[in-house]
């Protein structure tokens, strides 16, 4: 956590850091949050709440945010200070004109097990260093989904679209990225490795064993995304195609994890998920089945 916060502090007074202590009781998180708030009273705010899960932490931050833009950084991840300075500089320039709806940058998987890294960039998808819209986007490769790590949203856009993440649920970062997309009109991509995503710990929610254990929460997120929009009514075909692809990969993850668990209970949950999609939107059902 301290590595994370220290990386954010390099942004100086252009950054408001909201530390959400989500009911921590077994470590020094509350004390660390309060220490940073005392040490940097003009930059850091500490919020202590009963445990509500990752989504409620994001909700709480959004309720208290006063900045023009909003970014979520998990406590074991960090931002590259040099890239952060360049992003802030560009956000200042754009905000003197018409504020962006979404800023995008690369993110880097920092693997614990073998101390290697892998960068996810968007060279082939987005125009660089210019304002653009969905109509200007190229083709996404399967590994190029826009994740929470790659986005900075305009704060008021998140509020206006009514984004509220469910409590006590893992994998809500998918909703955080997906739900606001139809409201996004002005985007900007910088080919910078801004976000460093620390991955590989056995206790992480994205660990395969934990995903199977938490499969009901993955299904919950999947269904929320299915219900969020009638994708056939999304006017921009580039955005519609991307959202369809995003929903597909989430459904693939749900399906594969349910199959890999090997239990009859989870095989029944797989059937129930697909029946849910079929009853919700028969065209979407066939589209996903055929593509998968």
């Amino acid at each position: 956590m301290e590595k994370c916060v220290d990386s954010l502090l390099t942004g100086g007074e252009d950054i408001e850091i909201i530390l959400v202590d989500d009911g921590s009781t077994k470590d020094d998180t509350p004390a660390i949050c309060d220490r940073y708030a005392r040490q940097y009273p003009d930059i850091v705010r500490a919020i202590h709440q009963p445990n509500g899960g990752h989504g409620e932490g994001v909700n709480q931050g959004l309720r208290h945010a006063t900045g023009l833009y909003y970014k979520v950084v998990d406590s074991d991840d960090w931002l590259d200070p040099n890239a952060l300075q360049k992003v802030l500089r560009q956000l200042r320039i754009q905000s003197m004109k018409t504020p962006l709806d979404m800023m995008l940058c690369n993110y880097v998987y920092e693997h614990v097990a073998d101390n290697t890294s892998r960068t996810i960039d968007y060279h082939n998808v987005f125009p660089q260093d210019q304002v653009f819209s969905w109509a200007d986007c190229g083709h996404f490769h399967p590994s190029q989904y826009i994740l929470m790590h790659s986005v900075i949203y305009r704060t008021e856009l998140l509020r206006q679209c009514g984004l509220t993440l469910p409590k006590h649920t893992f994998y809500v970062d998918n909703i955080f990225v997906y739900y606001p997309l139809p409201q996004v009109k002005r985007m900007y991509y910088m080919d910078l490795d801004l976000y460093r995503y620390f991955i590989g710990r056995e206790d992480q929610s994205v660990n395969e064993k934990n995903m199977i254990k938490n499969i009901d929460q993955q299904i919950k997120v999947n269904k929320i995304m299915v219900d969020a929009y009638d994708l056939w009514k999304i006017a921009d075909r580039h955005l519609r195609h991307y959202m369809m692809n995003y929903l597909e990969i989430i459904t693939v993850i749900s399906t594969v994890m349910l199959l890999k668990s090997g239990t009859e209970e989870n095989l029944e949950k797989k059937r129930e998920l697909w029946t849910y999609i079929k009853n919700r939107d028969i065209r979407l059902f066939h589209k996903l089945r055929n593509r998968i």
Side-chain angles (χ1 to χ4, degrees), residues 1-274:
M1 174 183 171
E2 290 168 301
K3 180 175 183 177
C4 172
V5 178
D6 289 344
S7 76
L8 304 179
L9 285 168
T10 63
E13 293 188 359
D14 276 340
I15 288 197
E16 169 188 53
I17 303 173
I18 302 172
L19 303 178
V20 181
D21 161 32
D22 187 48
S24 300
T25 58
K26 297 181 179 179
D27 57 25
D28 295 329
T29 297
I32 295 171
C33 289
D34 290 338
R35 173 166 55 82
Y36 275 111
R38 286 193 306 271
Q39 192 172 355
Y40 302 95
D42 296 329
I43 300 175
V44 178
R45 301 166 66 190
I47 297 172
H48 304 278
Q49 66 180 26
N51 179 260
H54 187 248
E56 185 58 14
V58 175
N59 294 338
Q60 193 71 274
L62 188 56
R63 291 184 196 112
H64 288 84
T66 63
L68 181 59
Y69 299 102
Y70 187 77
K71 182 161 186 63
V72 178
V73 184
D74 285 343
S75 60
D76 51 359
D77 300 335
W78 66 96
L79 301 187
D80 179 85
N82 292 328
L84 178 58
Q85 290 298 329
K86 294 175 182 178
V87 169
L88 290 173
R89 190 178 308 122
Q90 188 56 234
L91 289 176
R92 282 189 219 105
I93 292 171
Q94 294 301 325
S95 299
M96 289 188 287
K97 305 170 186 177
T98 302
L100 302 171
D101 293 327
M102 182 167 68
M103 167 70 82
L104 299 119
C105 297
N106 309 331
Y107 63 95
V108 181
Y109 286 106
E110 298 283 359
H111 294 276
V112 180
D114 55 5
N115 198 32
T116 60
S117 61
R118 181 168 67 97
T119 300
I120 303 298
D121 62 56
Y122 304 93
H123 299 160
N124 58 304
V125 181
F126 302 132
Q128 295 182 35
D129 303 320
Q130 66 185 71
V131 178
F132 62 92
S133 67
W134 291 109
D136 303 309
C137 295
H139 177 70
F140 285 84
H141 294 319
S143 63
Q144 283 182 303
Y145 291 90
I146 302 170
L147 297 186
M148 185 184 75
H149 319 308
S150 49
V151 301
I152 302 174
Y153 274 123
R154 183 165 57 83
T155 308
E156 199 55 35
L157 181 145
L158 296 177
R159 290 174 177 149
Q160 289 173 350
C161 76
L163 177 71
T164 303
L165 302 180
K167 294 183 178 182
H168 302 294
T169 307
F170 289 116
Y171 319 118
V172 293
D173 49 321
N174 294 297
I175 302 171
F176 176 81
V177 176
Y178 182 83
Y179 191 78
L181 290 178
Q183 281 68 50
V184 171
K185 310 301 179 188
R186 290 172 53 82
M187 296 178 279
Y188 198 99
Y189 168 58
M190 299 184 73
D191 183 17
L192 297 171
D193 299 345
L194 176 63
Y195 196 104
R196 321 298 289 211
Y197 179 24
F198 191 70
I199 190 166
R201 293 196 333 265
E202 289 192 2
D203 62 338
Q204 278 184 297
S205 60
V206 292
N207 176 284
E208 183 179 301
K209 289 186 296 184
N210 292 329
M211 288 203 73
I212 292 173
K213 184 177 72 173
N214 300 322
I215 194 62
D216 288 343
Q217 297 175 47
Q218 169 69 19
I219 293 171
K220 179 180 178 179
V221 167
N222 203 151
K223 289 180 177 179
I224 288 172
M225 293 174 67
V226 168
D227 292 340
Y229 295 103
D230 181 345
L231 294 180
W232 308 103
K233 293 181 179 179
I234 300 291
D236 188 289
R237 65 181 181 85
H238 296 85
L239 174 59
R240 182 174 64 251
H241 182 72
Y242 173 73
M243 293 181 72
M244 193 79 73
N245 287 354
Y246 198 157
L247 186 55
E248 176 188 358
I249 194 63
I250 296 302
T251 309
V252 166
I253 291 169
S254 301
T255 302
V256 168
M257 291 301 163
L258 287 164
L259 286 168
K260 290 196 76 169
S261 75
T263 69
E264 185 55 42
E265 179 186 4
N266 281 344
L267 292 176
E268 179 57 35
K269 288 179 181 178
K270 180 184 75 71
R271 289 187 285 269
E272 190 275 332
L273 172 62
W274 281 99

